[in-house]
Amino acid sequence: MAGYILKIVMEDTHPPVWRRVIIPEMITFAELHEIIQILFGWSGSHLHDFRIPSQNVCIDGEEESWDRYHYPEEETLVEQFLLDNKWIRYTYDFGDEWRHKIIYEKTEENYEKRYPSLLKVKGDNFEEDTGGIWGGGEDVCNRCEFNREGVEKSLERFICPVHGDLTEKMEAGTMEVDVEKMADYFIRKLCDEFEKRFSKTADSKTLSAMEKKINKWKDFLEDKSNTTEKAEDSTYQQMTLPFLEEESWENAGNVLQIAVGEKTQGQFLEDLDLKEAMDYCKYLQIPAEDSWTKKQMTDAAAKTFQEHPEYLLYVLDEGEYQEFLRWTKLPCGIVRERPEQEDALIKAAALGLADITVQKTKAGSRATLSFAKDLRRILSPLKADLKKKTYRELKKFSSKLESMILAYGLVDLDCLYEMFGRIYHEPMEREAFLRYVYWYARFNNLVQTAYTLDGKNYVCALQLDMQAVLDKTKKYADDLDHVPFSAAELKKMADNIGNRSHWVESLLVTLHFQLGLAEYQAGICLEDMFTSIMNGDTLTEVLNQAYGMCKKESSLKGMCGLWENTVGLMLDLELPMLKGRSRDQYAEEKGISPWQTGMLENAGEFQDSKTRHMSEFPLEIQEAMHQACSFVSREDMKVLLHYQAKEKIMSEEFLYLLAEAHITGCEFGEAAKLIRKLESSSQRGKQAAERLNERMQDGSDMMDDEEFSPWYFQEAASQPVLQPYVRETPKIGRNDPCPCGSGKKYKKCCGKNI
């Protein structure tokens, strides 16, 4: 039997709260739910679900769901989804919305227990019914102590049966509904370009020899027995290698040694499986025949590297290449240091330049590193001038491709090639361009690539949901060309999201100053909302990114400002699904309302209340409110007043926005009536009404002195000015150098507890 090591993280917690646990295989999501309840001290008195947002998959205990792919948790094995996704979200209590991110880390092949085991803990539990993550305020008074001993005892008593019968049931085709959904799901997955290479998330039974070799090397470097700090998480540890004579290694624990290589690069590449070999040929632009065997493909790749050793530099950056060369010059025998850049040796193994074997011993593990015996002949043509030229060209291409992908989001590969030459006035052979895109950008995971069943290839920004964007593109803009931006416009759009729309700064000011989020929290929230808009999500989905971070007692002005600024940004921002057009531009071309471009889903039945959000009203009402607030449309104000009287609307957000629109339009009589309704609504409504009365009084006084006065702009100008959120440096990856200057990797220094 086997077990799966999971890291379950409470989202949006500062300081972080997470649990690392190993669960037995062949259990259901219902049992995983019970395990999470034990780990985080939940009582099970609220609803819950598991979701994979990018695939519209929902797994819960309900019989029906509005989601496209719904699975009953009692009949769904964790293997069906857990191993093939980066993470799965578990939400408990849809009111407080305690969200947990379940991350599959690796498979433990020899886990014989049928109950879960707790490996590591970070942070205390939360008390239920306290308003969610932010319900306790800055003093985190909604935290409660984590009882590790009690949790471990509860887990030991939670014995999980082996649900092999579910697998047989699915294979026999008796679960008709689920089989149909699974078939549809796997058809969609056929459109994916390929799964990430050398990932730990794949099932170990299907790993290629190359993947197994690299995973063993990673496990060796992260082994607890290699560490001096036993209490810390093994994933982020420094390895302590012995300073011993070669003959003493048997009693030394874990040992790393260098041996003489006995195989060529071509022989090392034979560890690739057929799919990986096909990818190498595609990415290197090798014209492989359909009848070729795997060995013919790997031999062709090895020959290409010998003829064009500069292609190795597409994968190994300058620092990694120098680190790799340094290790090739070390003498054979025991090594008394660890790699400064582990990725250098991992990539070298993937390129067939090195081989890594790990053997278990009584005292620990023995890792042997050897290099291809034809390595010197392969690398000898890589003179200083060729290396300098290659890295310079890669840097130029990377900068231009990044600008295009960040601006457009998703582009057809043929269109990308045509636009690249036209925008940058640099004619490039198609084969060389594709090699840059695939072998450099895709292999290094700088972009996503995929092909569809109609034969088209696409390149997409990493942060986007490519399938969702592609579906919306086909729906709205399949017959349109991409908007022609200049090189300067692309660079400006890519450098700073604040350059994309003035609404970005307004939204950031609202999040920080009016809703009270800390500056870093406002920045994170803005990034999430921006990505959601770029994915073509609805207004409700975009606003949910912010609602989860805002306190329940947030000011009415702030919540209304959040709706106004989000709507403005959604209408103004150039979108991938519209091929570089904003919703306003697209609507003008098509002669329709911009709100008809996926701004809202079909409105469900909402019971009106004081706390009803503006985003929960029907599309035509929200559109009228936007027109009234942004353009002082008196016709729309009349429509809204009639709607309010007819439906007896009590929503404070609705009343506030409509009153503010009437004040801006100098219709103070109607504004006063709406303000009186707010005053009698709640304490929050009363406070908002006081502010509106002050604004109305200021406006009335100034209108007596002059025919027109921009008094309502002066109030906005008095607000503190917060610069748009700009990430000045790339996000720090786990294997990047730590910014503190220690010389260690981020995951082994400041980021080891994240």
Side-chain angles (χ1 to χ4, degrees), residues 249-456:
W249 72 267
E250 289 88 349
N251 302 316
N254 286 11
V255 175
L256 171 62
Q257 67 176 11
I258 294 180
V260 177
E262 299 179 351
K263 293 183 179 180
T264 65
Q265 181 190 32
Q267 290 172 318
F268 284 160
L269 287 175
E270 290 179 15
D271 285 340
L272 299 171
D273 63 19
L274 179 60
K275 180 65 170 63
E276 290 168 344
M278 292 171 64
D279 286 339
Y280 274 45
C281 288
K282 175 181 178 180
Y283 295 171
L284 289 165
Q285 294 299 289
I286 298 172
E289 301 290 338
D290 292 339
S291 59
W292 277 15
T293 63
K294 185 189 77 171
K295 188 176 188 311
Q296 287 176 302
M297 294 179 188
T298 55
D299 287 346
K303 182 180 179 182
T304 300
F305 288 135
Q306 292 170 8
E307 295 173 351
H308 297 278
E310 68 273 18
Y311 294 166
L312 300 172
L313 306 182
Y314 285 38
V315 176
L316 293 162
D317 64 32
E318 292 182 80
E320 292 168 341
Y321 182 69
Q322 293 303 322
E323 173 77 352
F324 172 67
L325 287 183
R326 186 175 73 83
W327 276 77
T328 63
K329 296 174 183 177
L330 295 178
C332 294
I334 292 179
V335 181
R336 295 174 171 82
E337 60 178 301
R338 68 172 292 129
E340 293 181 5
Q341 297 194 50
E342 296 165 14
D343 286 351
L345 298 181
I346 290 173
K347 290 181 178 181
L351 294 171
L353 301 177
D355 188 46
I356 302 165
T357 59
V358 180
Q359 297 175 327
K360 294 290 184 180
T361 68
K362 293 181 179 180
S365 296
R366 175 185 178 184
T368 303
L369 175 66
S370 57
F371 300 98
K373 66 179 182 181
D374 55 349
L375 181 63
R376 182 171 298 180
R377 178 166 58 87
I378 296 171
L379 300 183
S380 59
L382 278 176
K383 307 299 182 184
D385 289 346
L386 179 57
K387 286 188 290 184
K388 185 176 180 180
K389 177 184 177 183
T390 301
Y391 282 128
R392 184 173 63 248
E393 290 176 348
L394 286 172
K395 186 176 181 180
K396 286 171 56 180
F397 178 83
S398 178
S399 175
K400 294 170 181 175
L401 180 66
E402 180 185 32
S403 294
M404 294 187 71
I405 296 303
L406 288 178
Y408 286 108
L410 180 141
V411 190
D412 176 279
L413 188 57
D414 292 332
C415 185
L416 182 68
Y417 173 62
E418 183 273 325
M419 288 196 300
F420 188 90
R422 173 168 48 81
I423 293 172
Y424 295 108
H425 310 291
E426 291 186 9
M428 183 186 299
E429 291 185 4
R430 180 179 174 81
E431 183 179 294
F433 178 82
L434 295 180
R435 191 179 297 113
Y436 275 127
V437 170
Y438 282 119
W439 185 240
Y440 168 67
R442 182 61 188 94
F443 194 92
N444 287 295
N445 203 33
L446 304 178
V447 298
Q448 302 180 73
T449 59
Y451 65 88
T452 54
L453 298 179
D454 59 4
K456 290 186 177 181

Side-chain angles (χ1 to χ4, degrees), residues 541-554:
E541 292 170 324
V542 175
L543 284 172
N544 282 340
Q545 305 288 335
Y547 288 156
M549 298 186 71
C550 296
K551 298 178 181 178
K552 286 187 176 181
E553 63 273 16
S554 296

